[in-house]
Amino acid sequence: MFPAMTAEGNHRAVAVFDSGVGGLTVVRSLLRTMPGEDIVYLGDSARVPYGIKSLQTVRRFAMEDAAFLGRFAPKLLVVACNTAAAAAGEAIRSVSPAPVVDVIAPGVAAALASTAGGIGVAATQATVRSGAYQRAILAVDPTREVRAVACPLLVPIVEEGRDEDDPIVNHVLCDYLHDLQRMRPGALILGCTHYPLLARAIGKLMGPQTVLISSAEAAAEEVRRHLEESGLRNPRSAGGRLECYTTDNPERFAELTERFGGRAADVVHYVGTDELETLSSSSDRNHENPR
Ligand code: DGL
């Protein structure tokens, strides 16, 4: 399914994909510490949101996204979408010729390191239903109290551009975070690409005893560590190129890039979902019932 890597060395791009623009929060964190890296980014905006779909469907989309980026022979593939990582992280890892970093393991490691207490997770419905965060935490420390809460309205709210002082945002957050406030966890993982944009409001509601862990920042840190340890860090200290692909309107994507990614894209191309589908082997369309 994936083409073999052809380009050589540390000048190859880091490939990143997400269900839409949200994964640009991971790109923002990446470029903050590694501004010289070239990034090729795919946002599957035509099929966003992944977070309310079945794990089987998300897995199929995620495999298609990863296969598309394999064309660029990246030095590293980053699954920036928490829902895609929850549904397909292992499946992608098993077929990708490039090493894979996803947002879940780094977020969990950062949360475990930050507190000896309970850990809350805020994520999409599909991510919560997959149990991926809960399993990853308990695999390391089975004694931890873990509570995962789905917050489905937060993605459209953030995409609509509502800011953290908006009463609607606070109303919705109060409703979703109620159980987590009562739990008073030592750490709360923001297990969705969009939630770091609401970090100030979430932090205010959770109180100072709860450390907020951005899975985007934790993943960016893991990328840096991986590139440095494998000698693949681009020697340039600035001037990395951000090349984006979207399955929907490139103009709309370009508008949102700055807000989510903290900088403009150098170029935004359109790629159709039909093209992504043809790259994916039909064997992935397995016969399980959608969950
Ligand atoms: N990117 C998704 C995530 O991090 C959020 C948006 C969606 O539901 O597709 O889970």
Side-chain angles (χ1 to χ4, degrees):
M1 165 197 278
F2 289 86
M5 283 199 287
T6 48
E8 292 299 323
N10 47 15
H11 287 277
R12 280 178 288 146
V14 174
V16 182
F17 82 84
D18 177 53
S19 54
V21 286
L24 290 164
T25 55
V26 176
V27 170
R28 176 197 285 254
S29 300
L30 274 175
L31 292 176
R32 201 178 295 137
T33 46
M34 294 169 287
E37 295 295 339
D38 288 333
I39 311 273
V40 55
Y41 181 96
L42 171 65
D44 189 9
S45 307
R47 302 188 291 195
V48 75
Y50 285 7
I52 57 169
K53 297 193 169 70
S54 71
L55 293 172
Q56 184 193 4
T57 298
V58 174
R59 179 170 178 274
R60 176 159 58 84
F61 292 170
M63 296 302 279
E64 291 170 5
D65 298 340
F68 172 75
L69 288 173
R71 278 181 176 182
F72 299 89
K75 58 185 175 185
L76 188 69
L77 174 63
V78 182
V79 184
C81 177
N82 293 258
T83 309
E90 283 318 307
I92 291 170
R93 225 170 243 116
S94 69
V95 291
S96 172
V100 177
V101 169
D102 72 41
V103 274
I104 294 181
V108 165
L112 285 165
S114 73
T115 179
I119 297 178
V121 181
T124 66
Q125 285 163 323
T127 299
V128 171
R129 201 170 59 241
S130 76
Y133 270 108
Q134 301 92 312
R135 271 196 309 280
I137 294 165
L138 295 173
V140 179
D141 185 351
T143 68
R144 292 297 178 113
E145 186 189 359
V146 182
R147 185 175 294 243
V149 172
C151 310
L153 281 174
L154 297 186
V155 166
I157 278 178
V158 169
E159 295 218 349
E160 206 186 281
R162 292 194 180 254
D163 72 25
E164 299 183 90
D165 302 315
D166 188 318
I168 291 179
V169 174
N170 277 286
H171 191 75
V172 171
L173 283 176
C174 283
D175 191 54
Y176 284 145
L177 298 181
H178 186 251
D179 283 355
L180 288 171
Q181 284 175 306
R182 287 216 311 230
M183 177 192 172
R184 296 172 66 84
L188 172 60
I189 299 176
L190 305 179
C192 172
T193 45
H194 291 56
Y195 302 174
L197 293 171
L198 300 176
R200 186 166 47 82
I202 294 172
K204 218 149 101 192
L205 285 171
M206 292 305 297
Q209 80 286 342
T210 302
V211 180
L212 297 191
I213 304 292
S214 157
S215 59
E217 262 173 42
E221 181 50 29
E222 176 65 14
V223 170
R224 190 193 56 75
R225 196 189 58 74
H226 180 93
L227 293 181
E228 268 167 16
E229 283 176 6
S230 53
L232 285 174
R233 179 102 183 243
N234 193 312
R236 258 192 334 226
S237 59
R241 191 175 152 78
L242 175 57
E243 180 172 1
C244 295
Y245 288 80
T246 174
T247 53
D248 200 45
N249 181 344
E251 285 79 34
R252 165 93 180 130
F253 192 94
E255 273 166 36
L256 290 172
T257 304
E258 200 140 2
R259 183 149 68 84
F260 282 83
R263 59 162 280 189
D266 290 290
V267 61
V268 183
H269 306 280
Y270 170 77
V271 56
T273 50
D274 49 347
E275 194 177 331
L276 300 190
E277 279 161 20
T278 56
L279 284 166
S280 183
S281 93
S282 56
S283 65
D284 281 329
R285 298 177 194 167
N286 54 36
H287 304 292
E288 318 156 22
N289 287 327
R291 283 193 287 142

